[in-house]
Amino acid sequence: MTAYLFSPPAVQSLAIRGQTERFPINRLFFVGRNYHAHAVEMGKPVDKAVERPFYFTKAPQTLLESGATMPYPPETNNFHFEMEMVVAIGKPGFRVSQDQAHSIIYGYAAGLDMTRRDLQLVARDKGRPWDLGKDIEHGSVCTEIVPMPGQIIDSGTIALEVNGQTKQSSDVNKLIWNVREIIADLSLFYHLQAGDLIYTGTPEGVGAVVSGDKITGRVAQVAEISLNIGPAA
Ligand code: MN
């Protein structure tokens, strides 16, 4: 046994629907600007003919299970929700072709890519990294993993409400880069591994929440998610 000076960080994990074993988390990848209407609302329209997808990552320690209360994070006055479909990778894959992309999928989940929008936009416009805007403690919210091995989801409602009022309502069929394309492209850069999650991007309608708000959302045929925004930590 390796002796550590102090206890190493716990392995992050999510429940798996219908199973007692949990899904251990390796890395958290996020696709930026992957619905046209959201790219436009952010002032950065996408031309798929000349652009490739881009990504950012968050630390696995930012993971928070659906149903929890997260403290309103520090150093923001514009804390946004982003409802996203999440792909859970179950097998290793490097330079995976679009045709074979399904073969490394374990399942799906519904996720929230919580964002300090004020800090993200400052970083974006100054050409700085997005970490302070995106890599937020408790800011990667996710439901249980729903096993759907080898399946590609290419359509279905994706929606979010704040305090019962609809804010986002779209369809996964509006992804600019679909699940096959994302896995093929991301696996050019990374040796994907079991336990990696890919948040596939958010549709239009993003907006701010404040302490006391309750977020609910869903990805049809996958899962329903909820998050309570607590007082500032
Ligand atoms: Mn996002």
Side-chain angles (χ1 to χ4, degrees), residues 55-68:
Y55 312 94
F56 56 92
T57 60
K58 301 192 188 189
Q61 290 78 11
T62 63
L63 197 69
L64 181 67
E65 289 201 61
S66 173

Side-chain angles (χ1 to χ4, degrees), residues 31 56 70 90 96 108 123 182 186 201 205 227 229:
V31 185
F56 56 92
M70 81 170 285
V96 181
Y108 291 84
I182 292 166
L186 185 60
L227 175 70
I229 309 300

Side-chain angles (χ1 to χ4, degrees), residues 141-199:
V141 188
C142 200
T143 64
E144 62 184 356
I145 304 293
V146 182
M148 299 175 68
Q151 292 189 43
I152 296 289
I153 294 181
D154 52 18
S155 67
T157 298
I158 179 169
L160 176 145
E161 305 86 35
V162 177
N163 304 326
Q165 185 177 1
T166 298
K167 300 292 186 181
Q168 296 188 279
S169 183
S170 186
D171 195 292
V172 171
N173 67 12
K174 293 181 177 164
L175 282 168
I176 298 172
W177 287 279
N178 64 28
V179 170
R180 287 191 185 279
E181 292 169 318
I182 292 166
I183 288 174
D185 187 77
L186 185 60
S187 71
L188 297 173
F189 299 91
Y190 293 94
H191 293 73
L192 296 179
Q193 298 171 41
D196 289 338
L197 299 184
I198 306 172
Y199 285 63

Side-chain angles (χ1 to χ4, degrees), residues 100-158:
Q100 289 302 309
H102 62 280
S103 68
I104 68 167
I105 293 174
Y106 176 80
Y108 291 84
L112 294 168
D113 169 19
M114 300 303 293
T115 301
R116 290 181 179 108
R117 190 71 70 201
D118 40 4
L119 300 193
Q120 184 210 4
L121 295 183
V122 167
R124 184 190 77 179
D125 295 341
K126 289 182 180 293
R128 293 173 178 168
W130 285 14
D131 299 53
L132 295 179
K134 287 290 194 178
D135 190 45
I136 300 170
E137 291 171 345
H138 317 294
S140 304
V141 188
C142 200
T143 64
E144 62 184 356
I145 304 293
V146 182
M148 299 175 68
Q151 292 189 43
I152 296 289
I153 294 181
D154 52 18
S155 67
T157 298
I158 179 169

Side-chain angles (χ1 to χ4, degrees), residues 1-8:
M1 281 285 285
T2 303
Y4 293 108
L5 182 62
F6 51 87
S7 297

Side-chain angles (χ1 to χ4, degrees), residues 19-36:
Q19 291 191 207
T20 53
E21 293 171 318
R22 292 177 65 84
F23 188 88
I25 299 302
N26 188 38
R27 291 170 293 189
L28 304 179
F29 295 106
F30 294 74
V31 185
R33 295 176 205 142
N34 204 16
Y35 288 81
H36 283 297

